[in-house]
Amino acid sequence: MTKLFLSQLRLLQFHPMKLHSLSLFKLSHIPLRNAAFHPRPFSVRPDRIRASKSLVDDEADLSNWVDDLRTGRAETLKPAQRVGSREPAVRDGGFRKRRGGGDFKKGKPNLDAKTRFGLSSDSDNDEVVERGKFKDAGGSGSIGEFLSEDDVDEEESDIDDEDEEIVNKSRSVLFGKQNGVSNTTRPASSGGSDSYLSDSRFDQCSVSPLSLKGIKDAGYEKMTVVQEATLPVILKGKDVLAKAKTGTGKTVAFLLPSIEVVVKSPPSDRDQRRPPIFVLVICPTRELACQAAAEATKLLKYHPTIGVQVVIGGTRLALEQKRMQANPCQILVATPGRLRDHIENTAGFASRLMGVKSLVLDEADHLLDMGFRKDIEKIIAAIPKQRQTLMFSATIPDEVRQVCHVALKRDFEYINTVQEGSEDTHSQVRQMHLVAPLDKHFPLLYAILKEHIADDVDYKVLVFCTTAMVTRLVADLLGELNLNVREIHSRKPQSYRTRVSDEFRKSKGLILVTSDVSARGVDYPDVTLVVQVGLPADKQQYIHRLGRTGRKGKEGQGILLLAPWEEFFLATAKDLPIVKAPVPLVDPDTKKKVERALSNVEMKNKEAAYQAWLGYYNSNKKVGKDKYRLVELANEFSRCMGLDNPPAIPKLVLGKMGLKNVPGLRSK
Ligand SMILES: Nc1ncnc2c1ncn2[C@@H]1O[C@H](COP(=O)(O)OP(=O)(O)OP(=O)(O)O)[C@@H](O)[C@H]1O
């Protein structure tokens, strides 16, 4: 039996003097912690990429996109790009091959896209900093805006469309029952501790022949560990709370048995005006909802009578209403706020929900935290008590287990596929942290990215930032530095988000600067590096962000860039193997280049980023405690952007933030 060691790493203090003494940082040359790891070849998957959402030009098209997949009207599916382990970088006399680009200009934020999607007009929108609390506002001063949700996604139905709204049977170890709850830990069944595939095949399970055909066409043969662990239990009708590492196939694990629920239900009458919805899947973000619906569509290939639809914020409610009327579905994938909107405003919708037999909460811990809880409770009140409930996530903190009775029956089964003594992250993902003064962050980020690009021609990088407006600032900066970047956050129109997300999914040689809208569940293949700039909201969010790389057993790298006063985060994640990174050399030239690039970034974007930054850290329990120190730090951030005089903030906003009369702040 493989023995797993929990690496208790000594977290070394960063010493600024070391900055110059260390050689150029080569992320990809650092040997993996688990040197013996070989990514499993992913041989059985003639991978398919879903229809190009870059064709989606307006909200109406977006709304119809999943329908088009169902009816085969969407763009022909394209064969996958390379799967399996990454190839070494191709170098040709210093020329580095780059792919991707689409209709965006390399290295520059696309101006057409900016104009078309109104980027400039939303620069002074509010930015929410912490779920359920006041976030900073960028100018209009409307309280409604303050109360909107930011990047935690995203869907807030009640504001407007721009606001938003995630076993091995034989070897299972039963830890016993407490209060009727079964707790089961089901370790990976083959191929070492990090294998995500089990030895069991789907055809060994009692699923319908048509579903099996769909699974085969999707390229799935063996079940992943979480699928093997949960399928038999779910098929028996039990409520399940399941935990499995990121990128290990949880979506299919809940979709397949959900489809079987519909298969076993009496067929709806074709003429029935309001046919029942049998399966309701709730995801915290729009991207995730679309992704889950697309996966369901794949699996439903041979079930022509079963329909799936998606309802998400950012599209016109009336369009969704029309679409649901025209193409009634038995499986509905939704984000919480928009679902509530339909419950309250769509004629006949509430009665359709009375047919729900299976409720799925994807990213369950996130859906049960305070930002979504009210919506979820309202939704649960609108569906029958007699139903099966499935909750999945890569992180299930104790607090969530304590409140999961909100949705689950008392005798639910808790299935944990993360082995005892193993971390919630993948051992094939090298995790590093870099602690450096704030004024070094932008040059360091640039140096990290340049180095990574030089090492891997197929680079595909996600850069996570703390808020939407800081995301925009960093994207602007990296664009000015001629890196091939895109940005995605909650202040972008949904059609733009969908387009960029799809482009990044298919691309290589691209950097996506993002807020936490991309933190959970989004399945971008072959991400080579995840950079997290600044304090993650919590350890769970760190894990989910990191989980965008190292999916399906592949290798990956993660780097967390912190200021010294953010270093306390490492103590909260001390069970994770986050090692100290060698510091990349930032030569004076690089520094100057970054300063020059910053001077080209629009003033209003810097102002919005300052305010957002202040709001984000103000909401942090530790950093926000000492308001005087907070303002000092915010002003340091302002100087990092080249603004020695910090931008003025509306008095109302300062009042809401509890920052009135704090020295160092300028009000207007
Ligand atoms: N049985 C299978 N065999 C091979 N590939 C699979 C199988 N099941 C799912 N996959 C693929 O694995 C990838 C990851 O799946 P998925 O996105 O569901 O992961 P996840 O566990 O939900 O991740 P996260 O925690 O980040 O949400 C997807 O590309 C999916 O198509």
Side-chain angles (χ1 to χ4, degrees):
M1 191 177 181
T2 313
K3 206 167 178 183
L4 288 172
F5 296 96
L6 182 70
S7 301
Q8 290 292 351
L9 290 158
R10 203 158 53 88
L11 300 167
L12 302 169
Q13 292 276 336
F14 168 75
H15 193 286
M17 289 306 288
K18 289 181 183 165
L19 202 115
H20 300 290
S21 61
L22 286 162
S23 63
L24 202 64
F25 168 51
K26 294 213 181 279
L27 285 168
S28 60
H29 294 163
I30 299 166
L32 290 174
R33 195 172 63 92
N34 180 358
F37 174 78
H38 297 294
R40 267 179 100 96
F42 191 60
S43 55
V44 291
R45 190 166 177 244
D47 206 345
R48 285 167 182 249
I49 287 178
R50 70 191 200 195
S52 167
K53 284 185 288 172
S54 63
L55 296 178
V56 177
D57 279 333
D58 59 40
E59 291 172 352
D61 282 352
L62 170 74
S63 299
N64 288 331
W65 174 67
V66 172
D67 282 344
D68 288 353
L69 277 168
R70 280 291 298 136
T71 54
R73 273 181 283 140
E75 184 195 36
T76 314
L77 298 172
K78 291 185 181 134
Q81 289 161 330
R82 178 180 50 79
V83 289
S85 58
R86 278 189 283 121
E87 292 156 5
V90 178
R91 289 163 197 258
D92 181 14
F95 170 72
R96 296 178 203 287
K97 210 169 62 178
R98 270 198 180 127
R99 291 181 215 142
D103 60 346
F104 291 80
K105 268 190 217 152
K106 181 177 143 188
K108 284 271 171 203
N110 185 327
L111 293 178
D112 286 350
K114 270 189 171 184
T115 316
R116 186 164 157 213
F117 298 115
L119 173 62
S120 54
S121 68
D122 64 6
S123 65
D124 60 351
N125 276 355
D126 288 357
E127 194 160 274
V128 182
V129 180
E130 188 189 331
R131 179 180 300 288
K133 283 192 183 173
F134 169 76
K135 316 288 181 129
D136 80 82
S140 67
S142 143
I143 300 297
E145 290 167 4
F146 305 156
L147 300 174
S148 70
E149 181 60 50
D150 170 23
D151 281 337
V152 208
D153 197 288
E154 334 18 47
E155 74 142 3
E156 285 310 285
S157 56
D158 53 347
I159 300 184
D160 63 36
D161 279 348
E162 269 303 283
D163 286 296
E164 297 213 18
E165 347 198 7
I166 184 138
V167 198
N168 190 336
K169 277 161 280 172
S170 56
R171 294 185 225 172
S172 67
V173 184
L174 201 64
F175 284 134
K177 291 189 173 204
Q178 291 163 358
N179 305 324
V181 178
S182 311
N183 298 284
T184 312
T185 296
R186 322 232 179 185
S189 61
S190 67
S193 62
D194 282 307
S195 173
Y196 76 103
L197 284 177
S198 74
D199 288 333
S200 308
R201 295 189 319 272
F202 282 101
D203 58 16
Q204 292 171 286
C205 247
S206 54
V207 293
S208 61
L210 293 180
S211 291
L212 283 177
K213 273 181 87 174
I215 287 165
K216 199 171 169 212
D217 276 20
Y220 311 146
E221 187 187 23
K222 286 187 171 167
M223 288 189 265
T224 67
V225 173
V226 64
Q227 290 158 6
E228 188 197 45
T230 54
L231 251 168
V233 184
I234 299 173
L235 288 171
K236 272 194 224 150
K238 278 222 128 188
D239 279 11
V240 165
L241 170 64
K243 173 175 164 177
K245 290 186 187 183
T246 50
T248 58
K250 291 188 284 294
T251 315
V252 171
F254 62 70
L255 283 178
L256 185 57
S258 299
I259 290 169
E260 295 307 294
V261 165
V262 184
V263 170
K264 287 176 195 145
S265 301
S268 313
D269 187 345
R270 273 194 164 274
D271 301 324
Q272 208 172 337
R273 271 189 65 221
R274 286 163 186 168
I277 289 163
F278 293 127
V279 175
L280 180 60
V281 180
I282 305 181
C283 301
T285 66
R286 298 166 182 180
E287 279 77 8
L288 205 44
C290 288
Q291 190 177 286
E295 185 77 54
T297 299
K298 263 203 289 190
L299 300 180
L300 285 169
K301 185 171 174 187
Y302 296 98
H303 288 292
T305 58
I306 303 178
V308 58
Q309 291 218 7
V310 62
V311 292
I312 55 174
T315 58
R316 267 174 256 134
L317 193 75
L319 278 171
E320 285 184 346
Q321 289 169 333
K322 251 174 138 176
R323 190 162 42 89
M324 278 197 285
Q325 214 166 18
N327 298 301
C329 63
Q330 299 94 329
I331 301 174
L332 186 70
V333 187
T335 48
R338 180 49 65 97
L339 185 62
R340 271 189 67 182
D341 250 14
H342 282 291
I343 293 171
E344 286 158 17
N345 300 309
T346 301
F349 187 75
S351 71
R352 291 192 64 195
L353 280 187
M354 290 318 288
V356 169
K357 296 179 175 185
S358 175
L359 169 71
V360 180
L361 301 185
D362 191 12
E363 307 294 338
D365 56 327
H366 194 32
L367 288 176
L368 288 182
D369 75 24
M370 290 322 288
F372 283 116
R373 181 94 58 83
K374 277 222 162 72
D375 280 341
I376 298 299
E377 284 171 358
K378 282 253 156 72
I379 291 161
I380 287 173
I383 59 174
K385 273 204 167 105
Q386 280 307 317
R387 59 163 200 273
Q388 183 178 28
T389 303
L390 313 175
M391 308 209 316
F392 280 75
S393 185
T395 52
I396 306 195
D398 290 346
E399 311 89 81
V400 169
R401 287 189 64 182
Q402 277 156 26
V403 298
C404 61
H405 61 265
V406 167
L408 294 168
K409 290 196 201 89
R410 281 172 65 84
D411 67 342
F412 74 89
E413 191 160 337
Y414 175 51
I415 298 174
N416 179 6
T417 63
V418 182
Q419 274 185 308
E420 279 285 297
S422 160
E423 299 98 12
D424 287 347
T425 51
H426 293 287
S427 64
Q428 78 274 13
V429 176
R430 173 89 177 171
Q431 297 176 58
M432 286 166 285
H433 67 82
L434 196 57
V435 180
L438 208 51
D439 67 331
K440 302 273 187 308
H441 281 202
F442 289 142
L444 278 172
L445 175 63
Y446 181 50
I448 290 167
L449 293 171
K450 286 288 279 182
E451 188 60 29
H452 185 73
I453 290 166
D455 281 342
D456 191 345
V457 71
D458 284 337
Y459 72 92
K460 184 162 173 172
V461 182
L462 275 163
V463 177
F464 282 99
C465 301
T466 47
T467 75
M469 292 299 97
V470 174
T471 300
R472 183 173 66 182
L473 176 95
V474 172
D476 284 358
L477 168 66
L478 298 179
E480 289 292 341
L481 285 162
N482 285 324
L483 295 179
N484 196 22
V485 292
R486 305 288 181 268
E487 71 185 284
I488 197 166
H489 50 76
S490 63
R491 298 297 144 195
K492 287 287 195 187
Q494 186 53 43
S495 49
Y496 176 94
R497 279 169 62 168
T498 306
R499 197 155 76 115
V500 166
S501 173
D502 194 53
E503 187 194 7
F504 189 67
R505 181 169 282 109
K506 292 190 281 191
S507 296
K508 294 213 163 123
L510 195 55
I511 297 165
L512 182 63
V513 188
T514 180
S515 65
D516 277 342
V517 295
S518 311
R520 284 177 176 253
V522 193
D523 188 42
Y524 293 127
D526 303 314
V527 170
T528 54
L529 173 67
V530 169
V531 187
Q532 305 191 38
V533 183
L535 205 59
D538 50 33
K539 180 179 144 193
Q540 284 76 35
Q541 204 70 348
Y542 169 86
I543 291 169
H544 286 276
R545 285 161 153 199
L546 183 80
R548 296 319 96 206
T549 187
R551 298 176 77 75
K552 300 201 295 186
K554 289 177 187 168
E555 293 179 17
Q557 294 174 339
I559 183 146
L560 174 63
L561 185 52
L562 297 174
W565 46 270
E566 293 173 308
E567 205 175 349
F568 68 87
F569 174 80
L570 296 172
T572 69
K574 59 178 181 298
D575 56 324
L576 299 178
I578 313 174
V579 301
K580 187 175 175 174
V583 183
L585 183 73
V586 179
D587 54 47
D589 250 18
T590 304
K591 228 180 135 228
K592 263 199 199 120
K593 228 174 141 180
V594 171
E595 279 168 13
R596 216 175 310 127
L598 271 166
S599 70
N600 290 334
V601 173
E602 278 190 67
M603 182 57 82
K604 66 177 172 40
N605 292 0
K606 290 180 185 174
E607 289 171 356
Y610 170 76
Q611 193 165 303
W613 193 100
L614 186 64
Y616 177 77
Y617 285 98
N618 185 42
S619 299
N620 181 276
K621 266 194 201 139
K622 272 215 150 130
V623 187
K625 217 155 115 190
D626 180 345
K627 305 295 182 203
Y628 290 84
R629 176 83 181 122
L630 170 74
V631 171
E632 275 173 22
L633 294 171
N635 292 352
E636 193 182 332
F637 178 72
S638 176
R639 285 191 293 278
C640 295
M641 294 187 291
L643 302 181
D644 289 340
N645 200 14
I649 297 178
K651 282 196 183 91
L652 179 65
V653 175
L654 287 177
K656 284 279 171 190
M657 286 203 258
L659 295 175
K660 247 184 190 162
N661 303 324
V662 179
L665 285 174
R666 291 178 55 235
S667 64
K668 60 180 178 189

